[in-house]
Structures are given as C-alpha cells and as structure tokens.
Amino acid sequence: MNIVTVNTQPIDGQKPGTSGLRKRTPVFQGRHYLENFIQAIWTAVGGVEGRTLVVGGDGRYFNTQAIQVVLRMAAAGGATRVIVGQDGILSTPAASHLIRKRKAFGGIILSASHNPGGPDGDFGVKFNASNGGPAPESLTAKMFEATKAITEYRILEAHDVDLSTLGEQSLGTMAVEVVDPVADYAELMESLFDFEAIASLFADGFTLRFDAMHAVTGPYARAILEDRLGAARGSVVNGTPLPDFGQGHPDPNPIWARDLMDLMMGPDAPDFGAASDGDGDRNMIVGRGIYVTPSDSLAALAANATVVPAYAGGLKGIARSMPTSAAADRVAEKLGIACYETPTGWKFFGNLLDAGRVTICGEESAGTGSDHVREKDGLWAVLFWLNILAAKRISVAELMEEHWRTYGRNYYSRHDYEGIPTEGANALMDGLRAKLADLPGTKVGGLVVSQADEFAYDDPVDGSRSEGQGIRIHFDGGARVVFRLSGTGTEGATLRVYLEFFDPVTMTMDAQVALAPVIAAAEAIAGIKAHTGRDAPDVIT
Ligand code: VG1
Ligand code: CO
C-alpha cells in the first residue's frame, strides 16, 4: 500500500459555519473537495501522527464513501488508530462520548445535521476535539486558513475497509476498530438516569411515540427505550437510518415533525412524544396536547434536575445561547446558581463545561445537553424528561403548568425566512446596526425599547471574544426580539427572528397571539417584508 501525494489547489468557500462545513452533496463529491478539507483539518490540528481518532456519521448519502476517504487520509497522516461506528454510524453525542471515553485526540463526524440528505441534499464535516466538543472558533479559523493555502494532500492507496464487521482490521500500519455505535452510549445513559423508575413507568402503561425521522437516532432509541426500558414495541417510528431520511427534513420541530404533532394533539395521543434530528443531537418534546418549547424544556429540566441520579447533588450552573428565552435564567436565579449567555452553537458551551462552571446547557433550536458529553444530546433530553415524569408521576401538561405558575411564562417563537437573497439579508442587518444607538427609549406600537445592541461574547474561561452574534432589542417588561443570520444554511441566506414575551400571570395563550405586539414591533423596526420580499415566514417554530 502506497501513500500518494496529490497536487491540489485551494477551493473557495471552505469556511466552517455554526457547526462544521456544510455544502450541497454534489459540492462535497466534487474533485478534491472533501480531501482538501480533511487535509486542512489535519494541518489545523498539527497533524494526526501517532493519534487515535473517532469517525462516524449520521448515515446520510455519501456517508460511507466519505468515511473511506477519511480513513485513508488518517492512515496517510500517520494516525495509529481510528475507532469507527459499524456501518459508518455514530450519532453526534455518541461520537462525543467515544472520544472522551477512549481518550482520543479528536473525531470527524460526517453530518449536515437537520439539513436534508441525498444526492441533491446536503452533506457536512465536523471536527471535535479531545474534550469531545466541537472545534472552537480559534481552530475552525485555522482550518479555513489552511484551505486557502493548500497545495497537496496525502492519501493511502488501498481497498475499502469493511465497515460492517465488528472488530479490528489494519489499513497500512493504522488499526481500524469497528465498534457497536450504540453500546457505550447506552451504558452512559444507564449510568446517569434511574432506569428502574422509567421502566416501572412503562410497566404501569405509560405510552410513548419517538419519531427518529429516518435518521441516526433510530437504533439508539430502539435499544434504550424499547429493549432496555420496556416501552411497547413500535413506540420508536421511522427508526431505520435512510440515506435520504425518507425524503424528509430531519429537523425536530412542529413543522417538520408534523405527523408526531398531529398525533400528540389528537384523541389518540400517547402520554409522551419526542423526535430527534439527523445526527441525534437535538430533541423535540411534546406531551399529550402540549408542545414544550426548547427554551421551556431547558428551564423545566433545570428546575427538576435533582430527581435524576446524575444531578441529585444540584447543578453548578446553566448556560443558554443568547436567542434562547430567559426562562432558564429565572430557574437559575431561584436556585442561586450562575446563568451564562453564549452565542449560538454548541462550541461555545465547551469551555464552561470543561471548567466546571455549568452542568446543563440549551439552545432554542432544540439542543439540550449536560457535562456528560460535550455535545447536545437528543436522547439524553428524552430520558431526562422520562426520569422526571417517572419520579413525579405527573403529565407533561401538569409539569409545565406547575412550572409557569412558579416562574411565569416566557412565550417564545422563532420565525425563519429561508433562502432569501444575501443582499437583502445583509441590508436588513446593516439597517438595524445603523439604528441601534437611537432605539432605546423609542415606542414601537405598545412597546418601549429598553436596550438594543449587537451581541458579542467574551468567553470567561479563555478570554476569547466573538463578535457579530446577533442583534437584540429588549423592551420594557421582558419582551425581546433577536435578529440573526443562520450559519448552517447552504442556499442564499436564512434570517432567523427570535421572539419573546414574558407574562407572569396568563399561562394558556396561543404563543403567536401572545407575541403579536413583538412580531409587529420586529416588522416596524427591521422592515422584514421589504428586505426579504416575503409576506410571511417560511417556518414558524
Ligand atoms: C442552527 C441552530 C443552532 C444550532 C446549529 C447546529 O444554527 O440555530 O442553535 O447549534 O443549527 O445544530 P444556525 O446558525 O443555522 O442558526 V445541528 O443539530 O445542525 O448540529
Ligand atoms: Co444536529
């Protein structure tokens, strides 16, 4: 087997976004595209010689071919060992756990997460570091620099590795260890939660529907929820990972998980519903007749955490991304613990978790997680909810009503305008920036602006600063609107408008109705219709 050096040249636009490099699949399949980026990762991390890596993906189209390239390039780079999930499967949280458990140098996760897959869908590559977490901005910046200077890459000439057989093989001088993608993760979950209590909940007739959306979580959910915990067979639906996710959009929200929502709001609803995204790091929680916003879910988990064995000693602190509602802040205040506000994207939680400043973290986009790994973790959130329900023996609706009575309710919604012209999106953001200084004190409809700024984050652990992380406009009384451009889209620009309204008394309004004054103020301040050319958002969650 020979290592060959292939001449190449920089390819434009290989800049990692909120979560790795994401492009249309045909772009990734283009000549040298994947190879250039992998070589740039090796350069950015100082080479992989003598290192152990973890590799796996969410099962989407091109996953296994890409893994073969990564393996041959790891071998060419002198890596000692690569641990890879059977059939190329590893959910993002399972990969994070394996990196930590096996003390690997890092890992490559092949996924574009919630973006659709298939020959005309999206593909993506993420690098996670030795703490199991997404590469921080300082490292992704180095990767991007390396893509701009690349002249060659090195790859081993070899046949494909057999990814279907468990056990060890060799690729040149490198060991390739094919592992069961579920086993270690399931064991970790069992160490955190009270499986006996959850099993007895199911034994008493508690019903569940888990929609894996034809993505990576299916095998994990079947093994844990059905096989170990005794949820009825068939509770996990769409549980086989498909290369095109069944032509679906594996984004666990009320729009893309419509079937689950319809079931949960209908007469035959089970007690509990949940869904997960492409790579298994996000979750949607629904009770019978009630959708739980991810921001509320984070707050409810934090408020009830001590019933879970792993968190029985209390939480060190909570972190939430800036656009996430302040519901968790109210819980942190009551518990007397710190609450951190970070930019969007899980990479910003890593330092806080590593430093022991926080125990649980969450994002409004349905990512929730804790210090058990360094990624958000969809199934973990589902098990957390089930553990709380098993301990308290109340329904999701009762739990949320109790929560809102105690803390008040942060009504919340996100309006997305997808695939809009980049110029319009930039003009909208520039227009807002120009107005920021004049906004405080002005009255918009019935709301008075109390504060307006562009969010910048100073990491309290390593002192790094991240600017341009979204424009936030606060109103008197706790209402807020945030404007931000997505960093995961692959077509044009996506504008996200995050809306929040705090009501200490009224618990049961429809969110869009409660938020109507904030929605009107957002339009009046930003001119969304004029800049996007759209009458209404494409997706409301
Ligand atoms: C989106 C979400 C963000 C999340 C990111 C990656 O980013 O808003 O909260 O961390 O996706 O999640 P953006 O830049 O498009 O708003 V995943 O599950 O796609 O790895
Ligand atoms: Co994801």
Side-chain angles (χ1 to χ4, degrees), residues 113-114 277 279 281-282:
S113 191
H114 59 283
D277 73 332
D279 60 333
D281 55 3
R282 297 212 242 151

Side-chain angles (χ1 to χ4, degrees), residues 98-109:
L98 263 184
I99 293 169
R100 295 166 65 78
K101 183 172 180 187
R102 300 293 302 272
K103 302 198 166 26
F105 174 68
I108 301 270
I109 303 170

